[in-house]
Amino acid sequence: MLLEGIETLLVLAEEGTMSRTGSRLYISQSAVSKRIAKLEATLGTKLIIPAGRLIKLTPDAHALIKNVGPSFNEIRGLIFEHQNLDDQSIITLDCSETLVAGYLANTLGTYFQKDKYISITTHHTPVIVENVQSGKASIGFCAGHLPAQYSFVAEHLMDEPFKLVFNQPLMALPKAIVVNDLKNPSNISQAAVLQKLGITPLMEMDSYTASAQLALAGMAPALVPQSIVKTLSIDDKYCFEFTELAELTRPIYLIYRQNSYKQPRVKNLVETITNLFA
């Protein structure tokens, strides 16, 4: 019961409302409220405060999440490792949206014909890492820098290059460009490079597709990874490379728990993906 309450609090911290938390956990909103109330009673402290339609966490709740959250996810991951996957068990592959579109779409379409019990989800790298560590996902396919400490296998597949995309010729480095969220772990190292080159981030988008489309419409040049160039089939005449930007790459990893790899179906999917980058 205590673990159930902690899981509910962790999801509530991410979702912000009782209803969305219930949807994530496949329980009713009232069940979410009851779980939190039981956890508060067990711990003898207030954990949430209503704030309109949203839920505000108390300082005690934040402290609990900080101290218990990582260990809870690790315990859940260890339990997951001991589950046997039969031929109809769902294997979840959690991916960066740009990477699955740019590199895996055709391969997974074919792969699905022989193993129809594959589920694909898309998130940003921090969530993918958390999902693999907690066992919510069997395999993660992500870009950017991983945390300093982690309890999974991380196979470095490649360093993905970026291109400047624009609908007009670029004869020199532009002074301002459209970028994606520089606080995202996939892009965080870009800020220092752009500052060194005197390039101003004109806008920080949350979608590389949107960035590329704005650039192709003439808004401003956009920094776009190779996977998006491939996905959108952007013509070479709209793609530009400068030696000064050569260090703007992002590492791509395939991550999974060591014991999960012992499952034949997980191992087969991992090897299928890694072979694409061999």
Side-chain angles (χ1 to χ4, degrees):
M1 191 64 70
L2 182 60
L3 292 178
E4 190 177 72
I6 292 173
E7 178 185 32
T8 305
L9 180 65
L10 292 173
V11 176
L12 182 59
E14 295 176 0
E15 297 295 340
T17 70
M18 294 283 192
S19 59
R20 290 202 296 263
T21 299
S23 297
R24 274 268 303 270
L25 295 174
Y26 299 100
I27 60 176
S28 67
Q29 184 172 334
S30 62
V32 172
S33 181
K34 289 178 181 178
R35 286 186 181 184
I36 295 298
K38 288 180 180 178
L39 182 61
E40 289 179 328
T42 300
L43 299 178
T45 187
K46 194 70 176 172
L47 297 173
I48 63 172
I49 302 171
R53 292 170 52 189
L54 300 177
I55 294 297
K56 182 179 179 180
L57 301 182
T58 67
D60 284 343
H62 284 294
L64 180 65
I65 290 170
K66 180 180 179 180
N67 293 327
V68 176
S71 298
F72 178 84
N73 284 331
E74 181 60 22
I75 290 171
R76 187 162 52 186
L78 290 170
I79 293 172
F80 168 79
E81 286 184 351
H82 290 281
Q83 295 177 345
N84 289 319
L85 297 176
D86 58 33
D87 290 343
Q88 296 185 0
S89 298
I90 298 296
I91 294 177
T92 299
L93 173 62
D94 201 8
C95 305
S96 157
E97 182 181 2
T98 59
L99 297 184
V100 70
Y103 297 112
L104 297 189
N106 292 334
T107 297
L108 291 179
T110 302
Y111 194 91
F112 190 72
Q113 300 308 310
K114 62 179 181 179
D115 189 344
K116 296 186 179 298
Y117 297 95
I118 304 293
S119 176
I120 302 171
T121 55
T122 57
H123 292 101
H124 290 313
T125 296
V127 178
I128 295 173
V129 168
E130 179 185 323
N131 286 345
V132 171
Q133 290 189 140
S134 68
K136 292 180 183 178
S138 302
I139 305 169
F141 184 44
C142 56
H145 298 285
L146 300 177
Q149 295 182 334
Y150 50 82
S151 56
F152 49 75
V153 176
E155 293 198 37
H156 177 243
L157 302 179
M158 68 176 291
D159 289 315
E160 184 179 38
F162 281 77
K163 297 180 185 294
L164 280 177
V165 172
F166 200 37
N167 70 343
Q168 303 169 32
L170 291 176
M171 308 308 295
L173 277 175
K175 296 296 183 182
I177 61 174
V178 176
V179 298
N180 267 45
D181 182 8
L182 295 178
K183 296 180 291 295
N184 186 308
S186 298
N187 314 317
I188 197 166
S189 61
Q190 296 176 5
V193 176
L194 296 177
Q195 184 178 27
K196 180 178 66 176
L197 296 172
I199 299 175
T200 302
L202 186 62
M203 290 179 279
E204 294 188 34
M205 309 294 291
D206 192 49
S207 164
Y208 279 117
T209 299
S211 298
Q213 297 289 14
L214 288 173
L216 292 172
M219 173 73 74
L223 192 64
V224 176
Q226 175 179 279
S227 50
I228 285 294
V229 172
K230 292 178 60 176
T231 300
L232 299 180
S233 300
I234 301 176
D235 195 290
D236 287 345
K237 66 182 179 182
Y238 301 126
C239 299
F240 305 91
E241 298 180 23
F242 295 90
T243 55
E244 297 92 330
L245 299 179
E247 62 182 302
L248 286 179
T249 62
R250 60 176 186 171
I252 296 177
Y253 294 97
L254 195 67
I255 62 176
Y256 51 88
R257 298 182 69 93
Q258 182 65 60
N259 283 345
S260 299
Y261 187 72
K262 296 176 182 178
Q263 302 280 355
R265 290 177 57 221
V266 173
K267 180 179 180 181
N268 191 46
L269 182 54
V270 166
E271 292 180 347
T272 297
I273 295 173
T274 55
N275 286 341
L276 292 174
F277 297 87

